[in-house]
Amino acid sequence: MDERLSGVHRGPMAVGQWVRLTDAKGRRHNIQLEAGKKFFTKFGEIPHDALIDQPEGVVVESSLGGQYLVFRPLMHEYTTSMPRGAAVIYPKDATQIVTFADIFPGARVLEAGAGSGALTTFLLRAVGEGGLVSSYEQREDFAEIATRNVEQFFGGPHPAWRLTVGELGESVVDTEVDRMILDMVDPWEYVELAGRVLAPGGILCCYVATTTQMSRIVETLRAHGEFAEPDAWETMQRGWHLEGLAVRPQHAMNGHTAFLVTARRMAHGQRALAKKRRPAPGAYGPDYSGPRPADLPD
């Protein structure tokens, strides 16, 4: 595999590559190396030439004595600091999607929308050059930002990426995809489409922000009848402060960002098994107006 397509670079830092400078307080700066250029901080300047041809992991000193540790940014660091149009999917969710939607080398993945390209970079690394990530984005300005971010990370166009600007339902050309990732406000509107384009055994994964969205997409999948019982969850990430015996959770944490919902496509014409456990009293009572599973009366 072409090493460039992983977004990882080995060896000395070179012109055109991105590096991350971190000071003793953890403040970070991402810069793209250019011969003859200088990076300015409140502690003075750092010539790019002092970094070019150096190995990763060096400490450089600015003209006024500030010290900075230099590495190339990791993918999760890059995606949280990239320029944004739409909000990015944070690494804690992107890695869950790659894992629980079972994104594999060579997979055919349909993604909607592309946003700022954060999840796209995770998907492209997972499918490799032998796979396909087919992204659909309604807004042309978001598509331009996503393109710049993805190509900046991989050092140019990725051969496994196809980006289409347009509404998913009107623009889709994919058939028999292995995985379908929906990052949109109304994923339930595309369940019928998912049923048509997903191969049997394929996985639909939806990224939604609110409990009402989560409930509606789950009930719509159940009502469709040809998806196995959906799974839904959220992930919270909390760091820890560590200094000798002073060990405690950090005050800040990555709490709720979104819910993830996954469901597997059954063979066409096969109906999902009816749930053995009866719904809670009132779950589908007179105040409920959403879709109902096929085995429940209206």
Side-chain angles (χ1 to χ4, degrees):
M1 176 178 176
D2 185 346
E3 182 180 282
R4 180 181 62 84
L5 299 181
S6 69
V8 175
H9 301 277
R10 294 188 175 99
M13 297 179 289
V15 170
Q17 294 179 356
W18 285 81
V19 298
R20 169 170 284 205
L21 282 64
T22 307
D23 67 15
K25 290 188 175 181
R27 292 175 293 213
R28 298 173 293 272
H29 309 276
N30 290 346
I31 63 172
Q32 186 176 25
L33 296 178
E34 297 182 34
K37 193 172 181 180
K38 296 179 179 179
F39 173 67
F40 294 91
T41 78
K42 66 179 182 179
F43 298 110
E45 62 189 43
I46 300 174
H48 287 209
D49 292 341
L51 306 177
I52 295 170
D53 294 329
Q54 293 294 315
E56 292 186 75
V58 297
V59 175
V60 297
E61 189 168 305
S62 66
S63 58
L64 297 180
Q67 291 190 318
Y68 295 84
L69 180 60
V70 187
F71 285 101
R72 295 184 180 99
L74 302 174
M75 182 164 63
H76 77 271
E77 295 170 333
Y78 175 78
T79 55
T80 52
S81 61
M82 62 169 50
R84 302 180 186 184
V88 302
I89 293 182
Y90 276 81
K92 74 180 183 67
D93 295 319
T95 53
Q96 294 269 309
I97 291 171
V98 169
T99 300
F100 289 97
D102 199 36
I103 311 298
F104 58 91
R108 300 159 298 178
V109 181
L110 188 158
E111 175 198 25
S116 296
L119 178 62
T120 309
T121 60
F122 282 86
L123 296 174
L124 286 170
R125 177 179 281 182
V127 304
E129 59 186 322
L132 172 66
V133 176
S134 184
S135 303
Y136 292 82
E137 174 54 57
Q138 281 187 301
R139 292 183 50 167
E140 189 167 354
D141 55 337
F142 286 178
E144 291 174 356
I145 293 170
T147 299
R148 287 197 300 270
N149 286 333
V150 170
E151 293 187 357
Q152 178 178 297
F153 181 77
F154 289 107
H158 196 293
W161 192 32
R162 182 175 67 206
L163 175 61
T164 301
V165 179
E167 200 277 327
L168 175 62
E170 300 173 357
S171 308
V172 66
V173 295
D174 300 89
T175 58
E176 291 292 295
V177 300
D178 301 302
R179 308 291 185 258
M180 186 170 180
I181 316 296
L182 299 181
D183 173 17
M184 50 179 54
V185 297
D186 55 353
W188 49 86
E189 297 289 346
Y190 301 92
V191 168
E192 289 293 334
L193 175 63
R196 294 198 302 272
V197 305
L198 272 171
I203 298 175
L204 173 65
C205 178
C206 301
Y207 179 89
V208 293
T210 69
T211 55
T212 51
Q213 289 173 302
M214 177 172 57
S215 173
R216 186 161 180 182
I217 182 59
V218 166
E219 297 299 347
T220 304
L221 287 166
R222 288 171 176 160
H224 182 278
E226 294 188 11
F227 283 90
E229 178 64 14
D231 291 312
W233 72 97
E234 65 176 333
T235 303
M236 299 185 184
Q237 180 180 349
R238 182 174 69 179
W240 280 71
H241 171 90
L242 299 164
E243 288 183 349
L245 296 178
V247 179
R248 57 168 175 76
Q250 291 179 355
H251 297 306
M253 68 176 291
N254 289 328
H256 173 76
T257 47
F259 300 102
L260 294 175
V261 177
T262 59
R264 298 198 71 177
R265 179 67 169 102
M266 299 176 62
H268 292 270
Q270 294 292 304
R271 303 296 296 180
L273 297 177
K275 291 182 67 176
K276 296 298 184 183
R277 182 175 59 83
R278 298 186 63 182
Y284 298 96
D287 294 329
Y288 176 78
S289 58
R292 296 171 179 267
D295 58 317
L296 288 180
D298 292 333

